[in-house]
Amino acid sequence: MAKKYRARLRHMLWTPTSRNRIDPAQMKCLVINLDRSADRLAHIKGEFSRIGVGFERVAAIDAQERPDLASMPLKVKRIAPWRLADAEIACLLSHRACWTIVAAGEDAYGAIFEDDVIFSGRAGALLADPSWVPADADIVKLETFLNRTTIARKRIAAGHGFSVSRLHATHIGSAGYILSRQAASDLIKATEDIGIPVDQLLFNPKFETSSSKTIYQMVPALCVQGQFLAGNAVRLPSLLKRDRDDQLATSGTDRKRKKSTITRVRLEIRRLTRQFADFCRLRQWKTIPFEHQGKRVRPPHTQPRENAL
């Protein structure tokens, strides 16, 4: 109890610098950060300072301090044969804490970030003025995972070289997104029972939490996780991946299962069929780009694409 109070007190006493102070007119930006991850907090402070925008820190749920997560009943049907790792449960609960803040606020939208993101140099202008957000948007995905997804060919200009298009397929990652107040309220109710990773809940149309929402993708992306930048000076390893791998190793579960030739052929036929259908529906299969220091970031072939917290 005392530890929880001290953490809350640190959160309340933390004040951004004058450059990072939140402008009442700007979109509320929430950053999820573990109390023990001072390096990540320093990193994200630097990123927000660089783009001239303020943010509010939200103390993340720490799986290391919550042994009860291992025995938490997960009532929702899982998408994989293994149970969510404790860190995945903590990650969802941390995002849920942010949804609560957005739902209880007066602003129509709020932005939620994980603490390892790298921003585009032009990100500040969009976060400072939310007027570009489409009126019908429930969620706007700001990041890219540098893998292909399906978006509408129609673009809506957001200004400063950015646009948004409707997102029509899975695009994992929950390190940066904008959420409407109503969508935040809906997600809180939908996650009273948990069992699905947060990025799948948000950005996988197989689930009603995603398919029932009007979701846009920013193009190019406004941010990307630091793990995807080759030669990035800031080394922020995926805490979630490490916890997940440890849990799988302990359970003896092997995630990598070699697909048979027939299965690979079927998947390829399904992919081509889907692409043709998307073309007819004015959709495109596209890797969402990200530009850093004037250069386009390429998908690293050896980089594990794991959502991090």
Side-chain angles (χ1 to χ4, degrees):
M1 188 72 180
K3 184 179 292 185
K4 183 182 295 186
Y5 175 77
R6 287 197 299 272
R8 184 177 299 173
L9 185 62
R10 283 198 300 272
H11 169 64
M12 292 173 63
L13 292 178
W14 183 81
T15 303
T17 63
S18 58
R19 190 175 178 184
N20 265 2
R21 201 176 304 281
I22 298 177
D23 182 343
Q26 81 161 60
M27 186 182 308
K28 181 185 287 293
C29 295
L30 306 175
V31 173
I32 300 170
N33 171 253
L34 288 164
D35 288 340
R36 57 185 166 89
S37 293
D39 55 339
R40 288 171 175 257
L41 181 58
H43 160 74
I44 201 65
K45 283 183 179 179
E47 282 298 299
F48 273 94
S49 178
R50 179 171 63 84
I51 64 173
V53 173
F55 72 93
E56 177 181 338
R57 176 183 178 270
V58 177
I61 306 299
D62 194 340
Q64 291 188 7
E65 296 183 0
R66 291 285 303 273
D68 60 304
L69 296 181
S71 57
M72 178 179 288
L74 306 183
K75 301 177 182 179
V76 177
K77 183 178 179 181
R78 300 194 295 269
I79 60 175
W82 50 83
R83 175 188 168 89
L84 288 184
D86 296 350
E88 289 178 303
I89 300 173
C91 181
L92 173 56
L93 294 177
S94 299
H95 280 265
R96 202 168 186 268
C98 292
W99 301 341
T100 301
I101 294 173
V102 175
E106 298 180 356
D107 298 333
Y109 292 94
I112 299 171
F113 298 97
E114 293 175 2
D115 57 10
D116 61 343
V117 297
I118 305 288
F119 286 115
S120 163
R122 295 167 291 161
L126 294 183
L127 294 177
D129 179 12
S131 62
W132 56 269
V133 178
D136 64 341
D138 292 309
I139 306 174
V140 180
K141 185 173 174 64
L142 301 176
E143 73 163 324
T144 179
F145 236 54
L146 299 176
N147 51 6
R148 290 188 176 184
T149 187
T150 303
I151 61 173
R153 292 183 180 276
K154 180 181 178 181
R155 302 279 185 91
I156 300 175
H160 307 281
F162 293 91
S163 64
V164 292
S165 294
R166 285 288 304 273
L167 182 64
H168 291 292
T170 302
H171 188 193
I172 60 173
S174 55
Y177 59 97
I178 291 170
L179 192 66
S180 74
R181 187 169 63 231
Q182 183 59 56
S185 180
D186 293 343
L187 284 167
I188 291 168
K189 295 176 183 177
T191 53
E192 291 178 354
D193 292 333
I194 63 175
I196 302 168
V198 62
D199 55 345
Q200 298 284 342
L201 282 169
L202 292 169
F203 303 116
N204 187 341
K206 291 181 180 178
F207 302 106
E208 187 179 359
T209 47
S210 176
S211 62
S212 63
K213 299 290 182 284
T214 300
I215 302 176
Y216 287 87
Q217 170 68 56
M218 177 154 284
V219 183
L222 200 72
C223 59
V224 71
Q225 287 181 298
Q227 61 172 320
F228 292 123
L229 292 186
N232 182 26
V234 181
R235 295 300 178 188
L236 301 173
S238 170
L239 303 180
L240 182 58
K241 179 182 184 300
R242 184 173 60 197
D243 184 272
R244 191 189 288 131
D245 289 346
D246 289 345
Q247 187 162 326
L248 288 172
T250 302
S251 65
T253 304
D254 184 6
R255 303 189 110 192
K256 297 180 180 179
R257 298 180 179 179
K258 189 175 180 179
K259 296 182 178 67
S260 67
T261 301
I262 294 177
T263 299
R264 291 198 298 271
V265 169
R266 285 175 177 171
L267 289 173
E268 182 63 14
I269 293 174
R270 189 181 305 168
R271 181 185 67 82
L272 293 172
T273 302
R274 186 172 65 248
Q275 277 189 275
F276 179 74
D278 287 335
F279 178 80
C280 295
R281 290 182 289 182
L282 301 179
R283 299 175 182 178
Q284 59 179 320
W285 202 39
K286 182 179 179 65
T287 298
I288 307 302
F290 178 76
E291 295 179 358
H292 182 62
Q293 298 179 347
K295 297 181 180 179
R296 178 163 295 192
V297 177
R298 303 294 179 184
H301 297 293
T302 58
Q303 196 85 333
R305 298 180 181 183
E306 297 289 347
N307 188 25
L309 175 63

